[in-house]
Amino acid sequence: MKRKSLKRLAFGLGAALTLTATAADDAGVPYPQVTDMIYQVVSADRSVYTRLVVERLTIDEEAITASEHFEDDVALPLPAQMFRFGAELVADETEDFSYSLLSLHPINKKNGPGTDLEQQGLQHALDNEEKFYGEEELGGQRYFTAVYPDFAVSEACVDCHNDHKDSPRTDIELGDVMGGVVIRIPMD
Amino acid sequence: MLTFTEEILLLLLGEEDGAFLPVNSNAFECALAGATLMDLAFALRIDTDLESLIVLNENPTGLSMLDRILARIAAHPEVMDAQSWVRLLAREEANTIREQALASLVDRGILEQRERRRVEHYPMRDGTAQREIKLHIREVVLADDIPDPRDVVRIALCDACSIFPEVLSDREIEQATPRIRQLRIMDLIGREVAGAIAAIQRTMLMAVRTRLARFRKYVLALAAIGGIATLATVLVPRIPVPDRFGPTLLERLWGDGAWQEWSGYVLLALSVLGFAAASVRRMRFAAKMGDQNWWRVMHVGLGMSCVLLLFVHTGFRLGYNLNAVLMGCYLAALISGAFAGVLMGGATQLRRFGFAQVGKLTRLPMRVHVIALCTLPALLVIHLLIVYLY
Amino acid sequence: MSRNAVIATLSTVGTLVAVGVVVVLMMVGGDRRALLIGATTDAHHQLELSCETCHAAPAFADPETAKSELNKTCQNCHEDALDDADDSHSRKRFRSPRMAAYWEKVDARYCTSCHVEHRPDITRASAVTVAMDFCVACHSEGEQDIRTTRPSHEGLSFDTCAGCHNYHDNRALYEDFLVRHAGQPWLKPEPVHALSAQYRAWKPPEESAVGPGGTMAPAAALADSTIVAHWAGSGHAAAGVTCASCHAPDVADDGPQRDVEAAWIDAPSTSVCRDCHRQEVRTFALGRHGMRQHPELAEPREPGQGLAKLGLDATLPETILASLSDPAPPTHMHAAEARLPMRTDAPTEPLNCGTCHDSHAVDIEHAAVAACAACHDDAHTQAYFGSPHHALWLKEQAGEAALGTGVSCATCHMVKGKRRGKVTTNHNQNDSLRPNEKMIRPVCLDCHGLAFSLDSLADTDLVSRNFTGRPAVHVESIEWAIQRAEPPDAGR
């Protein structure tokens, strides 16, 4: 049930972004610029959720907790989960673009690099702390793929990742690159 | 008096519907050619020994059908033996001979020619002639008298075309078989005309039999393999769908839409070719393209490969609803075809074992084969519609 | 004409007629069950008359379109349940191009990769049509190789996965959940199904009981005093539901009498139930009992539209159009159509609210057990009577035990849920089944420990004995989860 209302919210986001991508295409906006714009939106939304909802309610007000099993624990979804739910709903609504939050050290293995270019891009983001653009072919379709470094911006992120039993990396510090936001646009 | 050619044609017409009885067409054509040569020999126009067939007298007999052949033999630049003439005439003249003889029977008021002019359709106007011939043959075969030379020729022709089942009952055939054999090989040398007759008769029989024997071997082998394969795959338990995940060959064959599409169309193509081989065989131009019997061997061979493809396409799973009906009809066509093929190909051996009525036996599977095939186009189109619409 | 020509003509004419009939069946209207290429799976067999419910792609669509259109119709009915189950392998996740490498193995973007309809020869449990060791496709190599990432799973073969895991719904199997519920006794000290207790304790406020206008009805309708007595003792009477509320729903409850008489309906339809019991009627249409009322079912085809599509004149006389139209799909299930074993004397009338809830007595206790056993006749149902759960139910009914201690058929199969503070009964009997582990969280755990519940539901013999006895099977999930969890509350 909670998922339903989430779906409505994320649908709005997805629709807005679809519009952005389509408009960009018509105007002939270069791929890097489009992915930069998408990144701005998704990353801003997550920051707002992290600061105004999760950190405020869990740390400042101590009104509720945030949990991976938010339904069972009657808690808030973690910011990374909120980000992923949005990405899944966008994938459900459109094939014009897709995005995901990945890492070379993921807690859940399915969020590790899945393609050669993802591996390369995440490594580049980790090493140079800067974004990476590339092209790759997946399932017979050519994609423009951008990888944006994702920094550890709050204690909550760092603590959870360092403590989780499935985390391959336990020495993360604030400001470190923890992973990357990968955005893909099919090229035609 | 009727010519041999007319008699043999008359015997081959069904009493009720005026359609020809199903007879091996090759034997039929050789018999017609042989009968014409016999007619010429009895009219003292030709003579023959083991090496050559020569014209004694070029004067017309008064029967246009015989005179045309006589003229052809006379005009032929080189001298050939009787066997070659039987073959040549069977190949090139059989149809004309048949049509002229039928026309002559119509003129004599024995047959009737229906308004829609189809050569196969000649209802009996006066059945007495046919009855008399049959009666006469019965008497000759079942009596112990020494037959006259004309009767010997009749017996040989009937045997070549396997029409004794039409004339005699099963029991009579059994009783008469030794005598038929004896009459057929009767040594007629020493009589005035008989030398010629005996030679033609022998070569005619040889021509029919040696040529058939070669093809019968193939027909028998292919039909037997096809029939056994069909029965085996229908009766043995289904190969189960593999219980291990993975794109195994069997899973692809019986599960993957694209593979199913391919195997289905190849099966369809083979079936159509098989049907075409059977139909073409009956057409005139096919005779020019090669021996008719090759078409039959091809037909049986294609039928056999259909069994294989059917297994590839379905795994011999019988299907459900209309698909099951389609499968049933297809299998009926395959099995009846194979059965008819075995009977036809193994006719000589079967006769040797005492099954004299092989010709009659073949008729039932042939009918099943044709009826089953008739249902296939409808069921196939429906099968395809279901696949592409849902 | 020769015999061959007759045969050829007959065959041609027959082919044209048969193909014509089938084309009309497919494109215009008519009963198409003869065209089914294989028996339809359980439950879907109820919808056999309504092909378009699933087959929505246009005729002769290319395979890709056909596949994705088919997928959409699957989702029409199944997506909500999968969303609620937090689908472990959701379609959304696999649609991302970064999963392209997996599409080659098992194309999880399409339901039909594993669930093909009309193929009984390869259909396994839960309508799966691939070999049950299918996990091997993705979880046997690289990062996803379960035998290296989970030491406890090292020696296991892939045909054993489904013994514990489910492809879609693993809500009762994730590690933290297992760890949190470790070490529980088989039976809790105070075994009570909390929502059932709440539900049964609920009484309508006294002031809502029916006043003098309650039995306003035509005299003939009141002639049967048992009906009136049944109603008077029912929850309906206590909640202020009068005769007219259901039999003359368009008239105000307090009359006047002649309006009620004028608008009186002898046998009101289920839609009057929906006016008050929306949640129950909605969920009823999601399960096997009421799925013929599912809102997503396709309507019968309009023969006129089909004719127009074929380029034919659709202005045919009504009678011809009517003869071309689809048979009306049944709007209700009947016990006789069920594929589970049913009693020979099961009710023959269409299955609706009144089948289990007597229309006037509306006895929920009857609906919870006796109504089920009036039709169902399988080993599990038969074994219920005399089982420990049944004994508890009888005690609760007799007032000898607390509310919520008894376990009826409905406790497990029509699971209570709470939404906005109100307890309602989920009338989708399938919601806690397939796999039966779906029952663990909303039902079993209220009274039993997780380990015992997992073991019991995995023991098929015990299930058919209706849980008389102890499980003979042991599922090691909890032990393995604890081995990995150091400290136990990690990841929180």
Side-chain angles (χ1 to χ4, degrees):
Chain A
M1 295 302 136
K2 284 166 206 140
R3 222 45 76 65
K4 296 286 143 52
S5 37
L6 250 180
K7 179 170 181 165
R8 272 193 293 279
L9 274 176
F11 177 65
L13 172 74
L17 285 169
T18 311
L19 212 63
T20 323
T22 318
D25 198 39
D26 286 343
V29 180
Y31 289 112
Q33 205 175 325
V34 180
T35 56
D36 285 0
M37 280 152 56
I38 295 172
Y39 173 70
Q40 293 299 337
V41 177
V42 295
S43 136
D45 281 353
R46 186 180 50 156
S47 300
V48 169
Y49 178 70
T50 310
R51 293 202 190 113
L52 295 191
V53 180
V54 179
E55 287 191 350
R56 183 174 65 86
L57 290 175
T58 60
I59 299 170
D60 302 346
E61 318 238 357
E62 293 186 352
I64 188 170
T65 56
S67 159
E68 185 185 348
H69 311 298
F70 55 91
E71 279 174 320
D72 280 356
D73 297 344
V74 195
L76 294 173
L78 302 173
Q81 287 178 305
M82 174 270 186
F83 186 92
R84 195 163 303 117
F85 294 147
E88 284 178 3
L89 284 166
V90 168
D92 211 20
E93 297 295 336
T94 179
E95 285 178 356
D96 291 343
F97 74 100
S98 65
Y99 64 97
S100 43
L101 182 59
L102 305 178
S103 171
L104 292 172
H105 318 284
I107 287 179
N108 188 330
K109 292 202 167 45
K110 68 180 178 244
N111 299 318
T115 70
D116 290 345
L117 197 73
E118 281 177 359
Q119 171 75 38
Q120 202 185 328
L122 288 169
Q123 196 62 55
H124 180 93
L126 182 66
D127 295 345
N128 307 305
E129 305 198 346
E130 62 175 26
K131 60 193 174 189
F132 169 93
Y133 301 124
E135 288 177 23
E136 61 188 333
E137 193 172 310
L138 301 169
Q141 166 74 47
R142 195 135 193 90
Y143 290 92
F144 177 82
T145 303
V147 182
Y148 299 86
D150 199 42
F151 299 97
V153 289
S154 93
E155 283 292 343
C157 314
V158 175
D159 291 350
C160 186
H161 272 262
N162 282 341
D163 294 346
H164 200 286
K165 69 178 190 303
D166 288 334
S167 181
R169 195 177 155 196
T170 52
D171 59 348
I172 304 167
E173 287 173 23
L174 262 183
D176 280 0
V177 174
M178 293 175 68
V181 174
V182 178
I183 301 175
R184 261 195 196 84
I185 300 178
M187 307 173 81
D188 36 35
Chain B
M1 194 172 65
L2 295 178
T3 61
F4 289 127
T5 324
E6 286 163 339
E7 280 187 18
I8 192 88
L9 271 176
L10 207 48
L11 283 172
L12 283 169
L13 276 173
E15 279 169 63
E16 296 119 33
D17 54 358
F20 280 101
L21 301 172
V23 181
N24 181 308
S25 62
N26 201 270
F28 182 37
E29 283 155 11
C30 285
L32 284 180
T36 309
L37 291 177
M38 297 283 197
D39 281 324
L40 286 172
F42 272 82
L44 303 177
R45 294 301 189 276
I46 54 169
D47 192 5
T48 181
D49 55 33
L50 287 176
E51 283 88 36
S52 58
L53 187 147
I54 51 164
V55 176
L56 297 173
N57 177 354
E58 285 187 46
N59 292 338
T61 60
L63 293 169
S64 61
M65 141 182 85
L66 297 183
D67 293 341
R68 207 171 45 79
I69 303 297
L70 182 60
R72 181 167 180 174
I73 298 172
H76 201 75
E78 52 190 293
V79 175
M80 300 196 300
D81 65 3
Q83 184 161 346
S84 309
W85 274 113
V86 170
R87 279 192 192 169
L88 182 71
L89 294 178
R91 196 163 64 239
E92 293 177 6
E93 298 283 356
N95 275 319
T96 328
I97 293 173
R98 195 179 71 142
E99 276 170 34
Q100 284 183 333
L102 282 168
S104 159
L105 285 167
V106 172
D107 287 344
R108 289 176 194 264
I110 295 170
L111 297 183
E112 193 178 343
Q113 197 171 10
R114 275 286 153 86
E115 272 171 37
R116 307 192 74 192
R117 218 188 134 279
R118 300 290 300 221
V119 277
E120 294 93 342
H121 199 54
Y122 285 87
M124 213 70 68
R125 176 179 284 167
D126 175 8
T128 4
Q130 195 193 40
R131 273 198 299 279
E132 274 173 9
I133 302 169
K134 284 188 178 176
L135 205 66
H136 183 71
I137 291 175
R138 274 174 60 98
E139 279 170 5
V140 172
V141 171
L142 297 173
D144 286 335
D145 305 343
I146 295 174
D148 84 47
R150 287 194 72 90
D151 288 336
V152 174
V153 172
R154 286 191 186 103
I155 304 295
L157 288 171
C158 286
D159 194 46
C161 295
S162 316
I163 40 183
F164 279 114
E166 297 299 322
V167 181
L168 305 174
S169 73
D170 291 3
R171 212 167 45 81
E172 287 170 340
I173 290 184
E174 213 169 292
Q175 191 185 332
T177 306
R179 180 163 162 86
I180 294 172
R181 213 169 285 161
Q182 185 194 354
L183 289 178
R184 226 177 45 208
I185 58 165
M186 217 164 146
D187 187 14
L188 296 167
I189 296 167
R191 297 191 184 189
E192 199 180 341
V193 236
I197 302 164
I200 296 174
Q201 184 211 330
R202 268 203 300 276
T203 51
M204 188 195 83
L205 278 170
M206 294 253 297
V208 174
R209 281 173 197 276
T210 49
R211 284 178 62 193
L212 280 180
R214 202 165 92 229
F215 293 105
R216 278 187 169 159
K217 248 187 344 216
Y218 294 119
V219 170
L220 177 64
L222 290 171
I225 296 173
I228 291 167
T230 319
L231 285 174
T233 36
V234 170
L235 297 179
V236 297
R238 298 291 85 84
I239 297 178
V241 177
D243 220 20
R244 283 270 167 270
F245 186 87
T248 60
L249 182 64
L250 292 184
E251 214 159 70
R252 281 205 181 129
L253 281 183
W254 300 327
D256 187 306
W259 285 57
Q260 288 264 293
E261 201 172 13
W262 269 104
S263 61
Y265 279 118
V266 173
L267 178 58
L268 176 62
L270 283 177
S271 311
V272 169
L273 283 177
F275 176 74
S279 324
V280 162
R281 195 172 62 83
R282 291 168 215 280
M283 293 178 192
R284 266 174 223 182
F285 77 88
K288 290 173 199 144
M289 289 169 60
D291 197 308
Q292 290 207 349
N293 282 292
W294 279 120
W295 291 104
R296 170 169 289 145
V297 173
M298 234 159 77
H299 174 70
V300 180
L302 283 164
M304 193 202 71
S305 54
C306 283
V307 178
L308 186 77
L309 251 290
L310 188 67
F311 177 72
V312 170
H313 187 59
T314 66
F316 273 102
R317 282 174 176 78
L318 299 180
Y320 187 74
N321 265 347
L322 287 174
N323 280 350
V325 179
L326 171 61
M327 186 70 172
C329 288
Y330 199 84
L331 283 175
L334 285 178
I335 292 175
S336 59
F339 192 55
V342 168
L343 287 179
M344 233 173 242
T348 324
Q349 289 88 331
L350 283 168
R351 279 214 189 86
R352 203 172 296 150
F353 288 116
F355 294 98
Q357 279 189 301
V358 176
K360 209 172 192 174
L361 264 181
T362 319
R363 234 176 287 158
L364 178 70
M366 281 305 290
R367 270 182 203 155
V368 175
H369 192 61
V370 170
I371 291 169
L373 283 172
C374 282
T375 61
L376 289 183
L379 292 166
L380 256 175
V381 175
I382 294 170
H383 178 69
L384 287 170
L385 280 174
I386 294 174
V387 169
Y388 286 111
L389 276 160
Y390 291 98
Chain C
M1 227 171 19
S2 76
R3 193 160 60 188
N4 285 351
V6 172
I7 291 173
T9 315
L10 275 179
S11 174
T12 313
V13 172
T15 304
L16 291 175
V17 170
V19 170
V21 168
V22 170
V23 167
V24 168
L25 276 181
M26 287 177 159
M27 308 291 284
V28 182
D31 188 342
R32 287 166 289 176
R33 278 173 293 185
L35 307 181
L36 283 172
I37 58 157
T40 317
T41 48
D42 300 354
H44 283 175
H45 79 285
Q46 293 189 37
L47 311 177
E48 274 182 350
L49 270 178
S50 163
C51 311
E52 280 70 27
T53 298
C54 305
H55 299 276
F60 301 108
D62 64 279
E64 281 304 310
T65 315
K67 194 160 77 168
S68 78
E69 288 298 320
L70 205 54
N71 222 44
K72 282 182 198 158
T73 53
C74 302
Q75 292 168 54
N76 280 341
C77 297
H78 296 283
E79 192 182 28
D80 285 351
L82 287 172
D83 274 348
D84 288 344
D86 195 11
D87 189 357
S88 318
H89 294 83
S90 76
R91 201 180 60 88
K92 310 180 193 19
R93 181 175 295 157
F94 282 93
R95 280 188 61 173
S96 166
R98 63 184 302 266
M99 306 303 268
Y102 290 101
W103 301 344
E104 301 280 308
K105 296 170 179 169
V106 173
D107 198 341
R109 296 171 300 169
Y110 299 103
C111 311
T112 47
S113 299
C114 300
H115 303 283
V116 185
E117 189 43 285
H118 307 299
R119 290 293 305 273
D121 53 328
I122 53 168
T123 304
R124 284 103 170 163
S126 297
V128 173
T129 48
V130 293
M132 290 308 283
D133 62 340
F134 58 84
C135 309
V136 75
C138 303
H139 293 283
S140 59
E141 54 190 30
E143 289 280 272
Q144 290 291 342
D145 189 345
I146 203 67
R147 293 163 303 191
T148 57
T149 55
R150 290 281 184 282
S152 53
H153 289 43
E154 203 178 9
L156 300 177
S157 63
F158 281 93
D159 52 353
T160 59
C161 304
C164 305
H165 298 271
N166 305 303
Y167 181 84
H168 296 293
D169 184 341
N170 288 295
R171 279 174 292 179
L173 205 73
Y174 66 86
E175 277 179 343
D176 291 348
F177 184 82
L178 293 170
V179 171
R180 197 186 314 157
H181 291 86
Q184 290 174 331
W186 78 275
L187 187 64
K188 299 206 169 158
E190 283 181 41
V192 170
H193 189 247
L195 291 180
S196 294
Q198 271 187 48
Y199 183 79
R200 288 176 204 147
W202 186 81
K203 292 266 181 306
E206 264 175 42
E207 62 274 19
S208 64
V210 173
T215 55
M216 191 186 293
L222 294 171
D224 188 342
S225 59
T226 16
I227 287 183
V228 180
H230 276 161
W231 167 79
S234 74
H236 274 163
V241 179
T242 67
C243 306
S245 305
C246 301
H247 286 280
D250 296 333
V251 180
D253 277 358
D254 50 356
Q257 171 89 16
R258 67 179 140 70
D259 284 5
V260 169
E261 284 184 22
W264 189 264
I265 305 163
D266 272 332
S269 75
T270 322
S271 66
V272 302
C273 309
R274 183 168 44 221
D275 288 345
C276 301
H277 302 281
R278 285 190 57 175
Q279 212 42 28
E280 286 78 1
V281 173
R282 188 184 72 80
T283 50
F284 178 69
L286 303 179
R288 293 191 179 187
H289 291 144
M291 61 186 278
R292 281 176 169 167
Q293 291 153 34
H294 196 285
E296 295 287 349
L297 300 191
E299 297 287 326
R301 295 169 294 169
E302 280 289 337
Q305 283 178 3
L307 287 171
K309 235 184 277 170
L310 287 174
L312 298 171
D313 190 1
T315 55
L316 291 170
E318 268 308 309
T319 45
I320 296 185
L321 278 182
S323 69
L324 288 176
S325 53
D326 281 354
T331 50
H332 295 85
M333 179 62 172
H334 299 83
E337 294 174 88
R339 289 193 175 161
L340 291 173
M342 293 285 146
R343 292 176 63 94
T344 47
D345 59 349
T348 52
E349 70 258 28
L351 184 46
N352 58 29
C353 308
T355 312
C356 305
H357 302 280
D358 178 87
S359 320
H360 297 102
V362 287
D363 179 353
I364 53 169
E365 271 74 37
H366 171 81
V369 174
C372 312
C375 295
H376 288 271
D377 198 23
D378 49 280
H380 178 76
T381 309
Q382 288 163 358
Y384 171 74
F385 299 95
S387 71
H389 283 158
H390 180 231
L392 289 166
W393 173 250
L394 291 178
K395 272 178 97 174
E396 186 190 327
Q397 293 293 290
E400 295 164 14
L403 292 177
T405 52
V407 181
S408 69
C409 307
T411 310
C412 306
H413 297 292
M414 299 246 167
V415 179
K416 300 279 181 289
K418 194 170 187 177
R419 194 159 174 252
R420 296 196 178 129
K422 200 178 153 209
V423 181
T424 58
T425 304
N426 184 345
H427 279 61
N428 173 4
Q429 78 354 287
N430 219 29
D431 214 42
S432 57
L433 285 177
R434 298 197 167 230
N436 61 11
E437 288 99 328
K438 281 162 89 176
M439 195 178 283
I440 292 180
R441 291 164 56 108
V443 184
C444 310
L445 289 187
D446 273 21
C447 305
H448 297 286
L450 178 61
F452 178 78
S453 306
L454 284 171
D455 292 350
S456 299
L457 289 171
D459 184 344
T460 48
D461 277 345
L462 187 63
V463 171
S464 71
R465 291 202 306 275
N466 212 309
F467 309 106
T468 305
R470 302 298 290 263
V473 171
H474 180 52
V475 177
E476 289 178 283
S477 309
I478 297 179
E479 286 90 328
W480 288 347
I482 287 177
Q483 277 172 25
R484 255 175 61 79
E486 295 290 344
D489 62 345
R492 302 297 312 281

